[in-house]
Amino acid sequence: MPIKPLTLADVLAAAKVIRGRADGTPLVPSQIPGLGQEMLLKLETTQPMGAFKLRGALTALAALPPDAPGVVCCSTGNHGRAIAYPAREMGLRAVVCMSALVPAAKVAGIRALGAEVRIIGRSQDDAAKESRALVATEGLVEIPPFDDARVIAGQGTIGLELLAARPDLSTLLLPLSGGGLAAGVALAAKAIKPGLRVIGISMERGAAMQASIAAGHPVAVTEYPSLADSLGGGIGLQNRLTLALCRDLLDEVVLVDEVAIRDAMQALFFHDRMVAEGSAVVGLAAVMTGAVRLGGPAATILTGRNTDMTSFADIVAGRDLQIGDIFLKGRPYGA
Ligand SMILES: *Cc1c(COP(=O)(O)O)cnc(C)c1O
């Protein structure tokens, strides 16, 4: 069955669904020195549940059949929380499947919302298999974290808000994992402003979308622990939507390493007084390292704030960090 292509109209429809519940986050200039150009931060960190994923989750839940016995999803943490929160309000059963790589703080946040949690395997793909199995055995409706037209349209509403606030933007830097965010935002933003430069940013190891675009088909990647834990996981070997959209709409994909992510989290804390996840600062990291050079006003999305506070405290204090097999020598900010 051919898939109906997503358009700006789908994103505009999603904007109506989420109005008053997950829209209108602030857009503020970063005070970090040396970025070269004005760099605006879209504060999805201020969303209920601490991440942009509520936009896609609300859009998908609004389309649920009225007799659905419940919903199931796989998640690196934030999608599960974004589903669990409105599901509880709706009195709907929610099951969230996650791998053992998901940080404890995120798992606890989901449990606290009353969702059922299943920890399966060591990768997002293992969690995705469990989620699909529960569709078959328990009749739950699956809400995928990124490869879903409604989820993509929901995330795309950020693109509408960015260009409504600042039509003069020349570059968008978008954290990139499964590509629901990047596909939706790029779709909306380029429909409004075709000449806009849109760059996806992933972490250096396990950058599934970049590898899949290069290969021309979805490829499996090894998942590693990372400060950008929300960017982990594959794009799904049966990817239907986000690979084609990211391939067609992103001008470039850039990778940043753990040191760059650590430095960006520190700088954001010291200059902007903000707490954000590693996944949220990859756009800043790409500019701070010079991997991306800006030619005009730019914006990035601070996608989430659900960082583990113990490691965040270590990062701002400049203490040594062990991230899986990677050791980062501590470095106090500005040293
Ligand atoms: C999910 C998530 C991303 C990546 O979004 P995709 O749609 O999977 O590309 C980035 N940052 C945070 C904080 C997230 O939760």
Side-chain angles (χ1 to χ4, degrees):
M1 194 176 73
I3 305 164
K4 180 176 137 320
L6 265 168
T7 66
L8 181 61
D10 296 297
V11 184
L12 292 167
K16 286 203 180 114
V17 173
I18 69 162
R19 186 164 301 156
R21 293 196 283 170
D23 61 337
T25 51
L27 182 65
V28 300
S30 176
Q31 306 296 319
I32 298 174
L35 296 175
Q37 292 281 340
E38 186 181 17
M39 170 68 120
L40 296 154
L41 308 173
K42 180 73 167 157
L43 302 187
E44 293 298 300
T45 46
T46 64
Q47 287 280 10
M49 305 303 110
F52 73 88
K53 290 219 169 56
L54 192 55
R55 296 176 184 258
L58 288 174
T59 307
L61 283 169
L64 215 57
D67 57 349
V71 290
V72 62
C73 66
C74 63
S75 174
T76 51
N78 285 333
H79 176 63
R81 203 153 169 173
I83 295 286
Y85 171 63
R88 183 171 67 174
E89 279 178 5
M90 296 160 74
L92 195 66
R93 179 179 175 209
V95 183
V96 181
C97 305
M98 289 173 284
S99 89
L101 288 183
V102 175
K106 286 188 166 139
V107 176
I110 292 166
R111 274 215 180 91
L113 290 165
E116 293 165 47
V117 165
R118 312 236 172 149
I119 306 293
I120 309 288
R122 298 273 313 158
S123 74
Q124 176 74 351
D125 287 339
D126 294 335
K129 263 183 221 138
E130 176 73 4
S131 172
R132 278 194 300 275
L134 289 173
V135 173
T137 57
E138 305 204 19
L140 299 172
V141 178
E142 187 172 34
I143 302 185
F146 52 84
D147 200 27
D148 177 277
R150 293 200 171 86
V151 169
I152 295 167
Q155 323 303 30
T157 57
I158 302 172
L160 303 178
E161 292 176 24
L162 282 170
L163 283 162
R166 289 293 300 263
D168 61 328
L169 283 173
S170 70
T171 308
L172 296 184
L173 297 130
L174 306 176
L176 173 65
S177 176
L181 176 73
V185 173
L187 177 84
K190 284 199 168 178
I192 297 166
K193 186 168 184 176
L196 192 71
R197 181 178 172 218
V198 184
I199 304 173
I201 326 273
S202 301
M203 72 291 186
E204 195 172 61
R205 299 196 302 174
M209 184 59 82
Q210 193 210 37
S212 301
I213 291 173
H217 56 84
V219 296
V221 292
T222 308
E223 240 179 275
Y224 298 94
S226 168
L227 290 174
D229 52 82
S230 291
L231 302 186
I235 66 164
L237 294 179
Q238 311 298 324
N239 189 287
R240 298 180 317 126
L241 300 169
T242 58
L243 173 56
L245 287 165
C246 288
R247 179 196 62 208
D248 295 347
L249 292 167
L250 297 181
D251 296 285
E252 212 180 321
V253 176
V254 168
L255 308 185
V256 293
D257 67 15
E258 300 296 316
V259 173
I261 296 169
R262 188 268 315 269
D263 291 353
M265 289 171 86
Q266 269 188 342
L268 183 74
F269 182 78
F270 280 96
H271 293 284
D272 293 313
R273 303 289 199 269
M274 286 181 205
V275 175
E277 298 183 30
S279 308
V281 303
V282 293
L284 275 174
V287 177
M288 288 172 61
T289 56
V292 171
R293 291 192 190 286
L294 303 177
T300 190
I301 301 171
L302 289 191
T303 45
R305 65 162 189 256
N306 295 326
T307 168
D308 174 80
M309 285 313 280
T310 306
S311 48
F312 188 79
D314 288 340
I315 288 169
V316 298
R319 286 192 276 269
D320 294 347
L321 294 176
Q322 189 73 44
I323 306 146
D325 60 338
I326 295 183
F327 173 75
L328 288 196
K329 180 84 196 114
R331 203 209 59 174
Y333 185 70

